[in-house]
Amino acid sequence: MNGQKILVTGGCGFIGSQFVKMQLERDESAQIINLDLLTYAGDPSNLGTWADSPRYTFVHGDIRDPACVDALVPGVDWVVHFAAESHVDRSTGTRAGEFVETNVLGTFVLLDAVKRLNPDAHFLQIGTDEVYGDVAAPGFPDESSRLEPSSPYSASKAGADQLALAFAITHGLDVRVSRCTNNYGAFQHPEKLIPLFITNALDGLALPLYDGGTQIRDWLRVSDHCHALRTIMEKGQAGEIYNVGANQDPERTNREITQMILDATGAPQSLIEDRQGLRPGHDQRYAVSSQKLRQLGWSPELDIESGIEETVRWYTDHRSWWEARKDESYRAYYAEHYGKSDP
Ligand code: NAD
Ligand code: TDX
């Protein structure tokens, strides 16, 4: 496993940047090529000083561009594919087509290049638990459960998973699919629930809690997700799907997560603003069985209470990082989605 050459896509985003840093740190002979378009969600500074490593190469390009992808795929041992449009709320408006183009077509372009130019390479498709849709309690879908995505985002991710698995069956590629629950931690864009609420709480701004805040997500720290990906690379098998979940017990509602953020920031209850209708098709509960991966020796290291406290500390200490992301285009998105201009 050590000393491998890995083409990472989307390595300037939240999870991809954590994976690249971890891989370079843990394996002194690893080489990483990072292909990233640098959309609003990607920033090379997320790599910190690792961007200067002689074992790291950044390529500014688009996974939908076959010429760009064809130049990078030959000679790599792995393609680890994070690049995506990742925010559910952005997929329910006028930009849904970008989710199909990036998440489905982009994944196809990568698979097709591997098939033609480097069929012995391994391909890790980074998927999401959202493909199983709204899961009635106390259910825990396993890897063979039916896909019932609710949003254009999760439908596009299901399409990408299915394409990847089809390339394994039809063309014999070593494809593995991970399906992880909600991630949180340092460097997450403030459009997502936990960083949005932390940063708004730090600034005394409203926390727009959707639909009563009764929804359940199985929050997992980003580093635990990246360790899971390494386990799948090292111990997983070709053609297999691996769910990745914290399996929190008890499960936490969005309102409980919000309360943890208020407690950790010292912000008042009065900041909670109940909002309705901002997420059409809002799934009530996500949950997965992660037994298959746990049998390979993986388990999460951090519980959600300590994780929220750690994450609040990070955002408190890195104000300039998240203020830079609440820029003019973010304000425009915020005004359009939330109907107010305060980010
Ligand atoms: P992110 O939005 O933070 O980062 C996405 C990255 O992809 C950015 O760096 C962006 O510039 C890049 N990108 C977008 N379109 C591109 C294109 N056409 N070509 C090249 N690069 C492009 O996303 P994230 O939260 O880090 O998620 C990474 C992956 O993990 C996604 O595939 C997502 O579906 C999946 N996932 C995320 C979570 C989560 O909670 N965030 C949970 C499970 C799975
Ligand atoms: O302002 C908000 N208010 C609110 O109540 C936002 C942004 C979200 N929410 C709710 C909606 C969800 O029930 O919080 C929950 C979490 O929302 P997000 O942070 O947007 O995450 P989610 O939609 O669950 O999807 C995330 O996890 C799975 C990632 O964005 C996906 O990329 C990943 O696949």
Side-chain angles (χ1 to χ4, degrees):
M1 188 60 222
N2 279 3
Q4 296 203 306
K5 192 168 177 183
I6 304 174
L7 173 60
V8 171
T9 71
C12 293
F14 166 48
I15 306 171
S17 61
Q18 173 78 24
F19 176 84
V20 170
K21 288 183 279 193
M22 193 189 82
Q23 197 67 27
L24 288 171
E25 187 171 18
R26 290 171 69 117
D27 174 3
E28 289 180 4
S29 50
Q31 293 177 60
I32 305 262
I33 303 168
N34 176 13
L35 170 60
D36 197 302
L37 186 59
L38 301 182
T39 68
Y40 77 94
D43 191 326
S45 73
N46 291 349
L47 277 305
T49 53
W50 287 107
D52 304 325
S53 166
R55 296 182 286 120
Y56 171 82
T57 306
F58 174 63
V59 179
H60 186 196
D62 193 331
I63 56 167
R64 295 166 295 183
D65 175 0
C68 172
V69 169
D70 280 5
L72 302 176
V73 161
V76 300
D77 300 298
W78 279 90
V79 177
V80 182
H81 175 36
F82 295 92
E85 287 293 334
S86 69
H87 192 36
V88 173
D89 285 340
R90 294 186 193 248
S91 82
T92 61
T94 53
R95 294 181 60 239
E98 291 176 36
F99 284 70
V100 178
E101 286 180 19
T102 295
N103 299 357
V104 184
L105 178 63
T107 303
F108 166 75
V109 169
L110 287 163
L111 289 162
D112 187 55
V114 173
K115 180 198 93 178
R116 285 183 289 107
L117 304 171
N118 190 358
D120 291 331
H122 312 277
F123 191 101
L124 179 53
Q125 159 68 9
I126 311 299
T128 167
D129 68 339
E130 294 197 23
V131 296
Y132 299 117
D134 200 345
V135 180
F140 291 93
D142 67 18
E143 289 79 359
S144 63
S145 295
R146 186 184 152 96
L147 303 188
E148 296 188 74
S150 308
S151 70
Y153 162 72
S154 50
S156 69
K157 292 294 293 183
D161 287 6
Q162 294 301 97
L163 266 176
L165 292 165
F167 269 69
I169 295 167
T170 303
H171 301 298
L173 298 189
D174 175 348
V175 166
R176 304 169 198 196
V177 176
S178 67
R179 290 185 178 147
C180 189
T181 55
N182 286 60
N183 284 212
Y184 70 92
F187 296 100
Q188 186 169 30
H189 193 282
E191 68 189 355
K192 306 283 173 29
L193 176 77
I194 287 179
L196 175 65
F197 280 19
I198 292 174
T199 56
N200 278 11
L202 290 174
D203 277 352
L205 299 173
L207 314 184
L209 186 61
Y210 299 168
D211 305 321
T214 58
Q215 296 72 27
I216 287 166
R217 300 291 183 269
D218 187 27
W219 299 99
L220 183 72
R221 190 168 64 153
V222 62
S223 53
D224 282 325
H225 183 189
C226 291
H227 290 137
L229 298 177
R230 257 186 87 99
T231 303
I232 294 168
M233 292 168 75
E234 286 171 8
K235 299 182 184 167
Q237 289 187 353
E240 294 293 321
I241 302 166
Y242 297 90
N243 290 342
V244 186
N247 297 111
Q248 284 168 37
D249 185 12
E251 295 182 335
R252 308 295 186 159
T253 64
N254 290 343
R255 193 174 285 279
E256 287 170 321
I257 297 291
T258 304
Q259 188 59 51
M260 287 182 207
I261 291 171
L262 290 177
D263 292 345
T265 54
Q269 287 277 338
S270 56
L271 289 185
I272 297 178
E273 184 176 64
D274 281 298
R275 302 291 304 266
Q276 302 289 330
L278 291 185
R279 182 166 293 195
H282 194 179
D283 287 326
Q284 178 64 25
R285 176 175 177 266
Y286 295 144
V288 288
S289 163
S290 50
Q291 278 311 309
K292 185 172 169 182
L293 180 63
R294 286 169 191 254
Q295 278 163 8
L296 298 183
W298 173 85
S299 61
E301 284 175 354
L302 197 70
D303 63 84
I304 183 73
E305 285 85 359
S306 320
I308 292 283
E309 283 169 15
E310 177 194 82
T311 306
V312 165
R313 279 197 298 279
W314 189 87
Y315 281 88
T316 304
D317 294 343
H318 294 81
R319 174 172 277 274
S320 60
W321 182 89
W322 54 265
E323 281 185 344
R325 272 134 197 96
K326 293 194 175 188
D327 59 7
E328 203 174 317
S329 81
Y330 180 80
R331 285 167 188 271
Y333 159 73
Y334 205 89
E336 185 189 334
H337 181 66
Y338 292 98
K340 50 165 74 176
S341 53
D342 270 353

